[in-house]
Amino acid sequence: TGVNATPAQAQEMHAFIRKSLAEKFGKPMAESIPILYGGSCNALNAAEIFEGADIDGGLIGGASLRVDEFAKIRRALLGRLKNVRM
């Protein structure tokens, strides 16, 4: 469509998926399943997208072909993981 989801929209959908998993399989199972963002993710929006509590990572497309871009996305995700209990 050429229209990207906002970070809030992405989080809302991921929360819905997590809630649906919890209803079907229980909360512990739902919390153990990684839910990845599949929209457009790049160095400019990765940190904001990965701030979503239910967004556990992303499926990185074209940005993964550029080392500098991918490194910035990786740092954004690692920054988020520092704040997550494992």
Side-chain angles (χ1 to χ4, degrees):
T1 65
V3 178
N4 295 331
T6 66
Q9 290 168 327
Q11 168 53 31
E12 181 181 1
M13 181 52 65
H14 283 71
F16 173 79
I17 293 168
R18 182 96 51 211
K19 180 180 176 214
S20 297
L21 289 169
E23 289 170 357
K24 185 162 183 117
F25 302 108
K27 188 174 180 178
M29 178 64 77
E31 291 178 353
S32 73
I33 297 173
I35 302 174
L36 305 179
Y37 176 70
S40 181
C41 189
N42 57 52
L44 298 175
N45 66 9
E48 195 173 15
I49 288 170
F50 295 151
E51 283 178 4
D54 294 291
I55 299 174
D56 299 312
L59 303 171
I60 311 305
S64 68
L65 301 175
R66 295 182 302 280
V67 173
D68 58 330
E69 181 93 355
F70 188 72
K72 291 174 185 174
I73 295 168
R74 180 181 176 272
R75 281 193 294 274
L77 180 59
L78 291 176
R80 180 209 188 276
L81 293 177
K82 287 180 185 176
N83 300 320
V84 176
R85 282 192 320 230
M86 299 250 194

